[in-house]
């Protein structure tokens, strides 16, 4: 957290000390050579079917007209945006940062990122970048992969240095890797910033609790569709969905064509779509899950934390679209516990995030941090009240409680998140209502 946020706060992120700074410098030097991440993958060079060729023309027309509504519909429908050369234009439009050739306008006058102070998470970035590009692209030489890693490292570090309040999380590099391969290093920076601040902001806060609030929706969705299955999983905390939803599935999906196709949809749809997608994956595994006793949560967690292979993406996506329509977030019992400043609500509709600016994202971020601090203070007060619950301490705690209640009302307007949200000790029990 930077000084504007009233002092630094540590991120819930594990870093290691065994980082070799020289390796990053060497990689950056190699990265100055020709960018290999923009080469089309073999799958992108195959002949197109008549249906795909027709769709290519429609996508081109929508991009030329900057028609985001039509572009969103095309991205969601079968085959998605078809080709990376079209995604390179369409994804920035869907993210609300214009086409790649407009990026320089928004970035004029900014200092070189290399001159900015080092972000406190850069060591972890280096460790994760070393583990990137494992499954794709598989048509690059070792030297080209090293250059890709250099570009990925620079992309992430630049984003963090320009937004020093953001907290890096492990898996962020998986998301950035996909954007880098599609958009290329020169066009990717602004898109990553928009995605970070306007679509996955909840994952880059100082604590993990906003990300966990996304998981609270999963049992509500399952309860609305299949109460029996929801009850069967009630002893299993929904942490099994964390890795997939946190990384927009980029950590789990190993095929480049599949993850690019999925990103077409995730960038075109509302932020909550990824949670509904996981719900559909769980629903499709109903029979398999009922073969495991409900009193074996560890086994259920192990099964659910791994995506089934192969994934029938088109089927999953069409079912997810139908599920969102049939059971919208507002109908879910857990929705009322989601912060008004969460990306789930500030990006409830695709048009919202597409029309928001980076400044809007920063403002939402600061509001969320303030909420987290107040929630932490409230938790401390409740702990003190329990500690001094005996008669000798009641009077003092009562006075403290009244004073804090007045302060909260004055500074937060009686925010329901603080006083009507989850209570320590029963947080996970509310998951499966």
């Amino acid at each position: 957290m930077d000084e504007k946020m009233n002092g630094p706060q540590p991120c819930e992120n594990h870093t290691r000390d065994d980082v070799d700074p020289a390796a990053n410098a060497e990689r950056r030097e190699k990265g100055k050579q020709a960018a290999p991440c923009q080469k089309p993958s073999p799958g992108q060079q195959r002949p197109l079917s008549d249906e795909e060729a027709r769709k290519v023309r429609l996508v081109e027309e929508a991009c030329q007209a900057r028609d985001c509504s039509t572009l969103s519909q095309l991205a969601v429908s079968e085959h998605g945006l078809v080709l990376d050369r079209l995604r390179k234009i369409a994804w920035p439009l869907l993210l609300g940062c214009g086409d790649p050739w407009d990026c320089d306008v928004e970035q004029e006058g900014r200092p070189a990122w290399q001159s900015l102070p080092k972000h406190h998470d850069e060591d972890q970035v280096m460790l994760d970048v070393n583990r990137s590009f494992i499954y794709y692209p598989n048509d690059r030489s070792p030297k080209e992969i090293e250059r890709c890693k250099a570009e990925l490292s620079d992309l992430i570090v630049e984003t963090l240095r320009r937004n020093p309040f953001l907290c890096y999380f492990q898996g962020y590099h998986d998301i950035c890797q996909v954007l880098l391969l599609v958009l290329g290093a020169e066009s990717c920076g602004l898109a990553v910033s928009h995605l970070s601040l306007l679509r996955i902001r909840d994952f880059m806060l100082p604590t993990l609790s906003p990300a966990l609030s996304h998981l609270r929706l999963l049992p509500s969705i399952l309860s609305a569709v299949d109460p029996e299955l929801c009850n069967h999983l009630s002893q299993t905390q929904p942490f099994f969905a964390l890795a997939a939803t946190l990384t927009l599935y980029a950590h789990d999906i190993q095929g480049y064509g599949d993850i690019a196709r999925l990103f077409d949809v995730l960038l075109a749809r509302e932020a909550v779509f990824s949670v509904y997608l996981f719900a559909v994956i769980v629903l499709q595994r109903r029979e398999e899950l009922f073969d495991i006793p409900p009193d074996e949560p560890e086994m259920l967690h192990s099964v659910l934390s791994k995506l089934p292979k192969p994934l029938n993406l088109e089927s999953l996506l069409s079912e997810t679209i139908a599920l969102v329509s049939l059971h919208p977030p507002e109908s879910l019992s857990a929705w009322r516990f989601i912060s008004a400043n969460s990306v789930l609500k500030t990006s409830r509709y695709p048009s919202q995030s597409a029309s928001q600016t980076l400044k809007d994202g920063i403002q939402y971020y600061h509001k969320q941090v303030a909420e987290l601090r107040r929630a932490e203070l409230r938790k401390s007060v409740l702990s003190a009240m329990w500690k001094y619950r005996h008669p000798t301490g009641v009077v003092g705690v009562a006075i403290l409680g009244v004073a804090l209640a007045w302060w909260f009302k004055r500074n937060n307007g009686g925010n329901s998140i603080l006083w009507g949200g989850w209570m320590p000790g029963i947080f996970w029990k509310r998951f499966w209502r």
Side-chain angles (χ1 to χ4, degrees):
M1 204 65 54
D2 66 354
E3 295 179 357
K4 294 180 181 179
M5 300 301 294
N6 299 322
Q9 292 190 6
C11 300
E12 289 186 353
N13 181 46
H14 300 287
T15 58
R16 287 164 40 190
D17 297 324
D18 55 337
V19 180
D20 181 9
N24 198 33
E26 181 181 357
R27 176 170 292 147
R28 185 171 290 109
E29 185 63 29
K30 292 179 180 179
K32 293 179 181 179
Q33 304 176 39
C37 290
Q38 296 175 274
K39 290 172 57 177
S41 298
Q44 296 285 306
Q45 299 174 328
R46 63 176 175 79
L48 300 178
S49 66
D50 291 342
E51 183 180 353
E52 288 173 323
R54 174 180 173 277
K55 194 166 192 185
V56 164
R57 292 192 294 271
L58 294 174
V59 174
E60 288 174 336
E61 292 172 2
C63 287
Q64 186 173 5
R66 301 175 70 92
D67 184 349
C68 288
S69 177
T70 300
L71 202 54
S72 295
Q73 296 174 20
L74 292 169
V76 169
S77 60
E78 189 174 4
H79 303 306
L81 298 173
V82 188
L83 299 172
D84 279 358
R85 68 174 179 84
L86 300 177
R87 294 184 174 108
K88 187 172 183 178
I89 304 171
W91 283 8
L93 289 172
L94 293 173
L95 286 168
C97 55
D99 61 52
W101 296 277
D102 290 340
C103 290
D104 291 337
V105 176
E106 189 167 338
Q107 300 182 70
E108 280 183 359
R110 299 195 305 173
W113 66 267
Q114 293 90 341
S115 67
L116 298 175
K118 182 178 179 179
H119 190 277
H120 49 78
D121 288 331
E122 288 185 27
D123 288 348
Q124 184 62 49
V125 172
M126 181 63 189
L127 291 171
D128 288 346
V129 166
N130 282 335
R131 295 189 288 264
S132 61
F133 301 102
I134 300 299
Y135 300 111
Y136 54 81
N138 52 20
D139 62 333
R140 308 289 196 272
S141 69
K143 288 185 178 180
E144 288 177 322
I145 291 296
E146 282 302 305
R147 294 174 199 162
C148 284
K149 289 181 178 180
E151 291 177 356
L152 179 60
S153 176
D154 286 352
L155 171 64
I156 297 174
V157 171
E158 177 179 4
T159 302
L160 294 176
R161 289 191 183 184
R162 294 198 185 282
N163 304 279
F165 48 86
L166 291 178
C167 293
Y168 176 83
F169 63 91
Q170 289 184 277
Y172 182 72
H173 71 292
D174 293 311
I175 298 173
C176 292
Q177 173 180 313
V178 178
L179 292 174
L180 176 63
L181 288 170
V182 171
L183 302 181
E186 294 182 359
S187 307
C188 197
L190 194 58
V192 169
S193 292
H194 275 254
L195 181 73
S196 301
L197 285 165
L198 301 174
R199 300 301 295 264
I200 61 171
R201 181 179 63 249
D202 292 5
F203 307 151
M204 308 194 77
L205 287 157
T207 74
L208 195 60
S209 58
L212 296 180
S213 70
H214 291 217
L215 304 186
R216 298 177 66 183
L217 299 176
L218 188 56
S220 291
I221 298 170
L222 296 177
S223 178
V225 180
D226 192 336
E228 186 180 5
L229 178 59
C230 182
N231 183 65
H232 184 74
L233 299 176
S234 61
Q235 298 182 51
T236 307
Q237 296 177 356
F239 289 135
F240 51 74
L242 184 61
T245 55
L246 194 69
T247 65
L248 302 182
Y249 298 84
H251 181 72
D252 296 288
I253 293 181
Q254 299 177 3
Y256 175 74
D258 285 341
I259 194 60
R261 169 70 183 103
L262 180 56
F263 266 49
D264 288 345
V265 180
L266 295 180
L267 300 185
R269 292 290 306 220
E270 59 270 47
V272 76
F273 190 88
S274 63
V275 181
Y276 276 83
L277 175 60
F278 202 96
V280 170
I281 293 174
V282 174
L283 290 166
Q284 288 191 350
R285 306 179 76 176
R286 189 178 195 276
E287 293 184 8
E288 177 186 2
L289 296 174
F290 272 111
D291 287 338
I292 303 172
D295 58 356
E296 294 187 12
E298 295 83 4
M299 180 64 70
L300 286 167
H301 176 93
S302 177
V303 170
L304 287 167
S305 62
K306 300 178 180 65
L307 297 184
K309 297 178 182 178
L311 279 177
N312 187 339
L313 264 184
E314 296 300 340
S315 172
L316 284 171
L317 293 174
S318 62
E319 289 188 34
T320 305
I321 293 168
L323 182 58
V324 175
S325 178
L326 187 61
H327 299 283
E330 292 78 9
S331 69
L332 306 176
S333 60
W335 186 249
R336 68 183 184 274
F337 299 117
I338 301 297
S339 166
N341 297 305
S342 165
V343 293
L344 296 181
K345 290 187 175 177
T346 62
S347 297
R348 170 62 184 90
Y349 301 100
S351 58
Q352 285 179 288
S353 57
S355 63
Q356 292 166 356
T357 65
L358 295 180
K359 183 177 179 181
D360 293 327
I362 293 172
Q363 290 175 344
Y364 284 128
Y365 183 96
H366 291 333
K367 289 179 180 179
Q368 287 178 279
V369 170
E371 287 178 356
L372 292 171
R373 287 175 178 164
R374 290 191 291 266
E376 184 62 30
L377 178 58
R378 173 176 173 269
K379 182 179 178 181
S380 299
V381 171
L382 292 173
S383 177
M385 292 176 67
W386 177 255
K387 181 178 180 180
Y388 298 105
R389 64 191 181 278
H390 300 294
T392 55
V394 168
V395 175
V397 173
I399 294 173
L400 176 61
V402 171
L404 284 171
W406 173 85
W407 185 87
F408 277 126
K409 184 175 181 180
R410 178 183 178 188
N411 291 276
N412 196 51
N415 194 320
S416 61
I417 295 170
L418 299 176
W419 299 104
W422 55 270
M423 294 282 289
I426 63 171
F427 176 69
W428 289 112
K429 291 181 181 179
R430 288 197 178 192
F431 257 130
W432 296 103
R433 286 185 177 181

